[in-house]
Coordinates of all heavy atoms in Angstrom, one line a residue:
A103 N -15.9 -0.4 -9.6 CA -14.7 -1.0 -9.1 C -14.5 -2.4 -9.8 O -13.4 -2.8 -10.1 CB -14.8 -1.2 -7.6
A104 N -15.6 -3.1 -10.1 CA -15.4 -4.4 -10.7 C -15.0 -4.3 -12.2 O -14.2 -5.1 -12.7 CB -16.8 -5.2 -10.6
L105 N -15.5 -3.3 -12.8 CA -15.1 -3.1 -14.2 C -13.6 -2.7 -14.4 O -13.0 -3.1 -15.4 CB -16.0 -2.0 -14.9 CG -17.5 -2.4 -15.0 CD1 -18.3 -1.2 -15.6 CD2 -17.6 -3.6 -15.9
T106 N -13.1 -2.0 -13.5 CA -11.7 -1.5 -13.6 C -10.7 -2.5 -12.8 O -9.6 -2.2 -12.6 CB -11.5 -0.1 -13.1 OG1 -11.8 0.0 -11.7 CG2 -12.3 0.9 -13.9
R107 N -11.3 -3.5 -12.2 CA -10.5 -4.5 -11.4 C -9.9 -3.8 -10.2 O -8.8 -4.2 -9.8 CB -9.6 -5.3 -12.2 CG -10.3 -6.2 -13.2 CD -9.3 -7.0 -14.0 NE -8.6 -6.1 -15.0 CZ -7.6 -6.5 -15.7 NH1 -7.1 -7.7 -15.6 NH2 -7.1 -5.7 -16.6
G108 N -10.5 -2.8 -9.7 CA -10.0 -2.1 -8.5 C -8.9 -1.2 -8.7 O -8.2 -0.7 -7.7
L109 N -8.6 -0.8 -9.9 CA -7.5 0.1 -10.2 C -7.6 1.4 -9.5 O -6.6 1.9 -8.9 CB -7.3 0.2 -11.7 CG -6.2 1.1 -12.2 CD1 -4.8 0.4 -11.8 CD2 -6.2 1.3 -13.7
H110 N -8.8 2.0 -9.6 CA -9.0 3.3 -9.0 C -8.9 3.2 -7.5 O -8.4 4.1 -6.8 CB -10.3 3.9 -9.4 CG -10.3 4.3 -10.9 ND1 -10.8 3.4 -11.8 CD2 -9.9 5.3 -11.6 CE1 -10.6 3.9 -13.0 NE2 -10.1 5.1 -12.9
L111 N -9.4 2.1 -6.9 CA -9.4 2.0 -5.5 C -7.9 1.8 -5.0 O -7.6 2.3 -3.9 CB -10.2 0.8 -5.1 CG -11.7 0.9 -5.3 CD1 -12.5 -0.4 -4.9 CD2 -12.3 2.1 -4.5
D112 N -7.1 1.1 -5.8 CA -5.7 0.9 -5.4 C -5.0 2.3 -5.4 O -4.2 2.6 -4.5 CB -5.0 0.0 -6.4 CG -3.6 -0.3 -6.0 OD1 -3.3 -0.6 -4.9 OD2 -2.7 -0.1 -6.9
G113 N -5.3 3.1 -6.4 CA -4.7 4.4 -6.5 C -5.1 5.3 -5.3 O -4.3 6.1 -4.8
L114 N -6.4 5.2 -5.0 CA -6.9 6.0 -3.8 C -6.2 5.5 -2.5 O -5.8 6.4 -1.7 CB -8.4 5.8 -3.7 CG -9.1 6.5 -2.5 CD1 -9.0 8.0 -2.7 CD2 -10.5 6.0 -2.4
A115 N -6.0 4.2 -2.3 CA -5.4 3.7 -1.1 C -3.9 4.2 -1.1 O -3.4 4.5 0.0 CB -5.5 2.2 -1.1
D116 N -3.2 4.1 -2.2 CA -1.8 4.5 -2.3 C -1.7 6.0 -1.9 O -0.8 6.4 -1.2 CB -1.2 4.3 -3.6 CG -1.0 2.8 -3.9 OD1 -1.0 2.0 -2.9 OD2 -0.9 2.4 -5.1
T117 N -2.6 6.8 -2.5 CA -2.6 8.3 -2.2 C -2.8 8.5 -0.7 O -2.2 9.4 -0.1 CB -3.6 9.0 -3.1 OG1 -3.3 8.7 -4.4 CG2 -3.6 10.5 -2.8
A118 N -3.8 7.9 -0.1 CA -4.1 8.1 1.3 C -2.9 7.6 2.1 O -2.6 8.3 3.1 CB -5.3 7.2 1.7
D119 N -2.3 6.6 1.8 CA -1.1 6.1 2.6 C 0.0 7.2 2.5 O 0.7 7.5 3.5 CB -0.6 4.8 2.1 CG -1.4 3.6 2.5 OD1 -2.0 3.7 3.6 OD2 -1.4 2.6 1.9
G120 N 0.3 7.7 1.3 CA 1.4 8.7 1.1 C 1.1 10.0 1.8 O 1.9 10.5 2.5
L121 N -0.2 10.5 1.7 CA -0.5 11.7 2.3 C -0.7 11.6 3.8 O -0.3 12.5 4.6 CB -1.8 12.3 1.7 CG -1.7 12.7 0.3 CD1 -3.1 13.2 -0.2 CD2 -0.7 13.8 0.1
G122 N -1.1 10.4 4.3 CA -1.4 10.2 5.7 C -0.1 9.9 6.4 O -0.1 10.0 7.7
S123 N 1.0 9.6 5.7 CA 2.3 9.3 6.4 C 2.9 10.5 7.1 O 3.6 10.4 8.1 CB 3.3 8.7 5.4 OG 3.7 9.7 4.5
G124 N 2.6 11.7 6.6 CA 3.1 13.0 7.2 C 4.6 13.1 6.9 O 5.3 13.8 7.6
R125 N 5.2 12.4 6.0 CA 6.6 12.4 5.7 C 6.9 13.4 4.6 O 6.0 13.8 3.9 CB 7.1 11.0 5.4 CG 6.8 10.0 6.5 CD 7.7 8.9 6.5 NE 7.5 8.1 7.6 CZ 7.9 6.9 7.7 NH1 8.6 6.3 6.8 NH2 7.7 6.2 8.8
P126 N 8.2 13.7 4.4 CA 8.6 14.6 3.2 C 8.1 13.9 1.9 O 7.9 12.7 1.8 CB 10.1 14.6 3.4 CG 10.4 14.3 4.8 CD 9.3 13.4 5.2
A127 N 8.1 14.8 0.9 CA 7.6 14.3 -0.4 C 8.3 13.1 -1.0 O 7.6 12.2 -1.5 CB 7.7 15.5 -1.4
E128 N 9.6 13.0 -0.8 CA 10.3 11.9 -1.4 C 9.9 10.6 -0.7 O 9.7 9.5 -1.3 CB 11.8 12.1 -1.3 CG 12.3 13.2 -2.1 CD 13.8 13.5 -1.8 OE1 14.3 13.0 -0.9 OE2 14.3 14.4 -2.5
D129 N 9.8 10.6 0.6 CA 9.3 9.4 1.4 C 7.9 9.1 1.1 O 7.5 7.9 1.0 CB 9.5 9.6 2.9 CG 11.0 9.7 3.3 OD1 11.8 9.2 2.5 OD2 11.3 10.3 4.3
A130 N 7.0 10.1 1.0 CA 5.6 9.8 0.7 C 5.5 9.2 -0.7 O 4.7 8.3 -0.8 CB 4.8 11.1 0.7
L131 N 6.3 9.6 -1.6 CA 6.2 9.0 -3.0 C 6.7 7.6 -2.9 O 6.1 6.7 -3.6 CB 7.1 9.8 -3.9 CG 7.0 9.4 -5.4 CD1 5.6 9.5 -5.9 CD2 7.9 10.3 -6.2
R132 N 7.7 7.3 -2.1 CA 8.2 5.9 -2.0 C 7.1 5.0 -1.4 O 6.9 3.9 -1.8 CB 9.4 5.9 -1.1 CG 10.0 4.5 -0.9 CD 11.2 4.5 0.0 NE 10.9 5.2 1.3 CZ 10.2 4.7 2.3 NH1 9.7 3.5 2.2 NH2 10.1 5.4 3.4
I133 N 6.4 5.6 -0.4 CA 5.3 4.8 0.3 C 4.2 4.5 -0.8 O 3.6 3.5 -0.8 CB 4.7 5.6 1.5 CG1 5.8 5.6 2.6 CG2 3.4 5.1 2.0 CD1 5.5 6.6 3.7
M134 N 3.9 5.5 -1.6 CA 2.8 5.3 -2.6 C 3.2 4.3 -3.6 O 2.3 3.6 -4.2 CB 2.5 6.7 -3.3 CG 1.8 7.7 -2.5 SD 1.5 9.1 -3.5 CE 1.3 10.4 -2.3
K135 N 4.5 4.1 -3.9 CA 4.9 3.2 -4.9 C 5.0 1.7 -4.4 O 5.0 0.8 -5.2 CB 6.3 3.5 -5.5 CG 6.2 4.8 -6.3 CD 7.6 5.1 -6.9 CE 7.5 6.3 -7.8 NZ 8.8 6.6 -8.4
Q136 N 4.9 1.5 -3.1 CA 4.9 0.2 -2.5 C 3.7 -0.5 -2.9 O 2.6 0.0 -3.0 CB 5.1 0.3 -1.0 CG 6.4 0.7 -0.5 CD 6.5 0.9 1.0 OE1 5.5 0.8 1.7 NE2 7.7 1.1 1.4
S137 N 3.8 -1.9 -3.0 CA 2.6 -2.6 -3.4 C 1.6 -3.0 -2.3 O 0.5 -3.3 -2.6 CB 3.1 -3.9 -4.1 OG 3.8 -4.7 -3.1
D138 N 2.1 -2.8 -1.1 CA 1.2 -3.1 0.0 C 0.3 -1.9 0.4 O 0.5 -0.8 0.0 CB 1.9 -3.6 1.3 CG 2.9 -2.5 1.7 OD1 3.3 -1.7 0.9 OD2 3.3 -2.6 2.9
V139 N -0.8 -2.2 1.1 CA -1.7 -1.1 1.5 C -1.6 -0.9 3.0 O -1.6 -1.9 3.8 CB -3.2 -1.5 1.2 CG1 -4.1 -0.5 1.7 CG2 -3.3 -1.7 -0.3
G140 N -1.3 0.3 3.4 CA -1.2 0.6 4.8 C -2.5 1.0 5.5 O -3.6 0.9 4.9
P141 N -2.4 1.4 6.8 CA -3.6 1.6 7.6 C -4.4 2.8 7.0 O -5.7 2.7 7.1 CB -3.1 1.9 9.0 CG -1.6 2.2 8.8 CD -1.2 1.5 7.6
F142 N -3.8 3.9 6.5 CA -4.6 5.0 6.0 C -5.3 4.5 4.7 O -6.4 5.0 4.5 CB -3.6 6.2 5.7 CG -3.2 6.9 6.9 CD1 -1.9 6.8 7.3 CD2 -4.1 7.7 7.6 CE1 -1.5 7.5 8.5 CE2 -3.7 8.4 8.7 CZ -2.3 8.3 9.2
G143 N -4.7 3.7 3.9 CA -5.3 3.2 2.7 C -6.5 2.4 3.0 O -7.6 2.5 2.4
V144 N -6.4 1.5 4.0 CA -7.5 0.6 4.4 C -8.6 1.4 4.9 O -9.8 1.2 4.5 CB -7.0 -0.4 5.4 CG1 -8.2 -1.2 6.0 CG2 -6.0 -1.4 4.8
L145 N -8.3 2.4 5.8 CA -9.4 3.2 6.4 C -10.1 4.0 5.3 O -11.4 4.1 5.3 CB -8.8 4.1 7.4 CG -9.8 5.0 8.1 CD1 -10.8 4.2 8.9 CD2 -9.1 6.0 9.0
T146 N -9.4 4.5 4.3 CA -10.0 5.3 3.2 C -10.8 4.4 2.4 O -12.0 4.8 2.0 CB -8.9 6.0 2.4 OG1 -8.1 6.8 3.2 CG2 -9.5 6.8 1.3
L147 N -10.4 3.2 2.0 CA -11.2 2.3 1.2 C -12.5 1.9 1.9 O -13.5 1.9 1.3 CB -10.4 1.1 0.9 CG -9.2 1.3 -0.1 CD1 -8.5 0.0 -0.4 CD2 -9.7 1.8 -1.4
V148 N -12.4 1.6 3.2 CA -13.6 1.2 3.9 C -14.6 2.3 3.9 O -15.8 2.1 3.7 CB -13.2 0.8 5.4 CG1 -14.5 0.7 6.3 CG2 -12.5 -0.5 5.4
L149 N -14.2 3.6 4.2 CA -15.1 4.7 4.3 C -15.7 5.0 2.9 O -16.9 5.2 2.8 CB -14.4 5.9 4.8 CG -14.0 5.9 6.3 CD1 -13.2 7.1 6.7 CD2 -15.2 5.7 7.1
V150 N -14.9 5.0 1.8 CA -15.4 5.2 0.5 C -16.4 4.2 0.1 O -17.5 4.5 -0.5 CB -14.2 5.3 -0.5 CG1 -14.7 5.2 -2.0 CG2 -13.4 6.6 -0.3
L151 N -16.1 2.9 0.3 CA -17.0 1.9 -0.1 C -18.3 1.9 0.7 O -19.4 1.6 0.2 CB -16.3 0.5 0.0 CG -15.2 0.3 -1.0 CD1 -14.5 -1.1 -0.7 CD2 -15.8 0.3 -2.4
L152 N -18.2 2.2 2.0 CA -19.4 2.4 2.8 C -20.3 3.5 2.3 O -21.5 3.4 2.3 CB -19.1 2.6 4.3 CG -18.7 1.4 5.1 CD1 -18.2 1.8 6.5 CD2 -19.8 0.4 5.1
V153 N -19.7 4.6 1.9 CA -20.5 5.8 1.4 C -21.1 5.4 0.1 O -22.3 5.7 -0.2 CB -19.6 7.0 1.2 CG1 -20.2 8.1 0.4 CG2 -19.2 7.6 2.6
Q154 N -20.4 4.7 -0.8 CA -21.0 4.2 -2.0 C -22.1 3.3 -1.8 O -23.2 3.4 -2.5 CB -19.9 3.6 -2.9 CG -18.9 4.5 -3.5 CD -17.8 3.9 -4.3 OE1 -17.7 2.6 -4.4 NE2 -17.0 4.7 -5.0
V155 N -22.0 2.3 -0.9 CA -23.1 1.4 -0.6 C -24.3 2.1 0.0 O -25.4 1.9 -0.4 CB -22.6 0.3 0.3 CG1 -23.8 -0.5 0.8 CG2 -21.6 -0.6 -0.4
A156 N -24.0 3.1 0.8 CA -25.1 3.8 1.4 C -25.9 4.7 0.4 O -27.1 4.8 0.4 CB -24.6 4.7 2.6
A157 N -25.1 5.3 -0.5 CA -25.7 6.1 -1.6 C -26.6 5.2 -2.5 O -27.7 5.6 -2.9 CB -24.7 6.8 -2.4
L158 N -26.1 4.0 -2.9 CA -26.9 3.1 -3.7 C -28.1 2.6 -3.0 O -29.2 2.5 -3.5 CB -26.0 2.0 -4.2 CG -25.2 2.3 -5.5 CD1 -24.3 1.1 -5.8 CD2 -26.1 2.7 -6.6
A159 N -27.9 2.3 -1.7 CA -29.1 1.8 -0.9 C -30.2 2.9 -0.8 O -31.4 2.6 -0.9 CB -28.6 1.4 0.5
Q160 N -29.7 4.1 -0.7 CA -30.7 5.2 -0.6 C -31.4 5.4 -1.9 O -32.6 5.6 -2.0 CB -30.0 6.5 -0.2 CG -30.9 7.7 -0.1 CD -31.8 7.7 1.1 OE1 -31.5 7.0 2.1 NE2 -32.9 8.3 1.0
A161 N -30.7 5.3 -3.0 CA -31.3 5.4 -4.4 C -32.3 4.3 -4.6 O -33.3 4.5 -5.2 CB -30.2 5.4 -5.4
Y162 N -31.9 3.0 -4.3 CA -32.8 1.9 -4.5 C -34.0 1.9 -3.5 O -34.9 1.2 -3.7 CB -32.0 0.6 -4.4 CG -31.3 0.2 -5.6 CD1 -30.0 0.4 -5.8 CD2 -32.0 -0.4 -6.7 CE1 -29.3 0.1 -7.0 CE2 -31.4 -0.8 -7.8 CZ -30.0 -0.5 -8.0 OH -29.4 -0.9 -9.1
G163 N -33.8 2.7 -2.4 CA -34.9 2.7 -1.4 C -36.2 3.3 -1.9 O -37.3 2.9 -1.5
G164 N -36.1 4.3 -2.8 CA -37.2 4.9 -3.4 C -38.0 4.0 -4.3 O -39.2 3.8 -4.2
S165 N -37.3 3.5 -5.3 CA -37.9 2.5 -6.2 C -36.8 1.8 -7.0 O -35.6 2.3 -7.0 CB -38.8 3.2 -7.2 OG -38.1 4.0 -8.1
W166 N -37.1 0.7 -7.5 CA -36.1 -0.1 -8.2 C -35.6 0.6 -9.5 O -34.4 0.7 -9.8 CB -36.7 -1.5 -8.6 CG -35.7 -2.4 -9.3 CD1 -35.7 -2.6 -10.7 CD2 -34.7 -3.1 -8.8 NE1 -34.6 -3.4 -11.0 CE2 -34.0 -3.8 -9.8 CE3 -34.2 -3.3 -7.5 CZ2 -32.9 -4.6 -9.6 CZ3 -33.1 -4.1 -7.3 CH2 -32.5 -4.8 -8.4
A167 N -36.5 1.3 -10.2 CA -36.2 2.0 -11.4 C -35.3 3.2 -11.1 O -34.3 3.5 -11.8 CB -37.4 2.5 -12.1
R168 N -35.6 3.9 -10.0 CA -34.8 5.0 -9.6 C -33.4 4.6 -9.2 O -32.4 5.3 -9.6 CB -35.4 5.7 -8.4 CG -34.7 6.9 -7.9 CD -35.4 7.6 -6.8 NE -34.5 8.5 -6.1 CZ -34.7 9.0 -4.9 NH1 -35.7 8.5 -4.2 NH2 -33.8 9.8 -4.4
G169 N -33.2 3.4 -8.6 CA -31.9 2.9 -8.2 C -31.1 2.6 -9.4 O -29.9 2.8 -9.5
V170 N -31.7 1.9 -10.4 CA -31.0 1.5 -11.6 C -30.6 2.8 -12.4 O -29.5 2.8 -12.9 CB -31.9 0.6 -12.5 CG1 -31.3 0.4 -13.9 CG2 -32.1 -0.7 -11.8
L171 N -31.5 3.7 -12.5 CA -31.2 5.0 -13.2 C -30.0 5.7 -12.5 O -29.1 6.2 -13.1 CB -32.4 5.9 -13.2 CG -32.2 7.3 -13.9 CD1 -31.8 7.1 -15.4 CD2 -33.4 8.1 -13.7
A172 N -30.0 5.7 -11.2 CA -28.9 6.4 -10.4 C -27.6 5.7 -10.6 O -26.5 6.3 -10.8 CB -29.3 6.4 -8.9
A173 N -27.6 4.3 -10.6 CA -26.4 3.5 -10.8 C -25.8 3.8 -12.3 O -24.6 3.9 -12.4 CB -26.7 2.1 -10.6
V174 N -26.7 3.8 -13.2 CA -26.3 4.0 -14.6 C -25.7 5.4 -14.8 O -24.6 5.6 -15.4 CB -27.4 3.7 -15.6 CG1 -27.0 4.2 -17.0 CG2 -27.7 2.2 -15.6
V175 N -26.4 6.4 -14.3 CA -26.0 7.8 -14.4 C -24.6 8.0 -13.7 O -23.7 8.6 -14.2 CB -27.0 8.8 -13.9 CG1 -26.5 10.2 -13.7 CG2 -28.2 8.8 -14.8
S176 N -24.5 7.4 -12.5 CA -23.2 7.6 -11.8 C -22.0 6.9 -12.6 O -20.9 7.4 -12.6 CB -23.3 7.1 -10.4 OG -23.5 5.7 -10.4
A177 N -22.3 5.7 -13.1 CA -21.3 5.0 -13.9 C -20.8 5.8 -15.1 O -19.7 5.9 -15.5 CB -21.7 3.6 -14.3
V178 N -21.8 6.4 -15.8 CA -21.5 7.1 -17.1 C -20.8 8.4 -16.7 O -19.8 8.8 -17.3 CB -22.8 7.5 -17.8 CG1 -22.6 8.5 -18.9 CG2 -23.4 6.2 -18.4
A179 N -21.2 9.1 -15.6 CA -20.6 10.3 -15.2 C -19.1 10.1 -14.7 O -18.3 10.9 -15.0 CB -21.4 11.0 -14.0
A180 N -18.9 8.9 -14.1 CA -17.5 8.6 -13.7 C -16.6 8.4 -14.9 O -15.4 8.7 -14.8 CB -17.6 7.4 -12.8
R181 N -17.2 7.9 -16.0 CA -16.3 7.6 -17.2 C -16.1 8.8 -18.0 O -15.2 8.9 -18.8 CB -16.9 6.5 -18.0 CG -17.1 5.2 -17.3 CD -15.8 4.6 -16.9 NE -15.9 3.4 -16.1 CZ -15.6 3.3 -14.8 NH1 -15.0 4.3 -14.2 NH2 -15.7 2.2 -14.2
V182 N -17.0 9.8 -17.9 CA -16.9 11.1 -18.7 C -15.8 11.9 -18.0 O -14.9 12.4 -18.5 CB -18.2 11.8 -18.7 CG1 -18.0 13.2 -19.3 CG2 -19.2 11.0 -19.5

């Protein structure tokens, strides 16, 4: 998230707001294009970031080297 300056998180929040609105496609697209983040976007971001932190904490719980390896592998896999 820090390397992309939150670009992917912003897209995820916009998608969650549009899909969570339950409105027709045209209205959902308008909601996605707005610059603010709605309640569905906030909830989605909080859950995704909590899961990511929990996964990294679990990886670092075994050993420091295992945690670093898991972080590097996940970063490379995300870019591929």
Side-chain angles (χ1 to χ4, degrees):
L105 294 176
T106 62
R107 292 183 285 170
L109 182 64
H110 294 93
L111 293 176
D112 181 51
L114 178 65
D116 289 340
T117 302
D119 282 336
L121 294 176
S123 69
R125 301 208 176 161
E128 294 170 356
D129 291 338
L131 186 58
R132 181 185 50 77
I133 290 170
M134 288 182 202
K135 289 182 178 181
Q136 291 177 348
S137 62
D138 59 339
V139 178
F142 286 107
V144 171
L145 182 63
T146 301
L147 289 178
V148 168
L149 291 176
V150 165
L151 292 174
L152 283 175
V153 168
Q154 288 178 352
V155 168
L158 278 175
Q160 182 70 25
Y162 277 98
S165 72
W166 182 260
R168 180 178 168 202
V170 170
L171 179 64
V174 169
V175 168
S176 65
V178 169
R181 300 297 174 244
V182 171

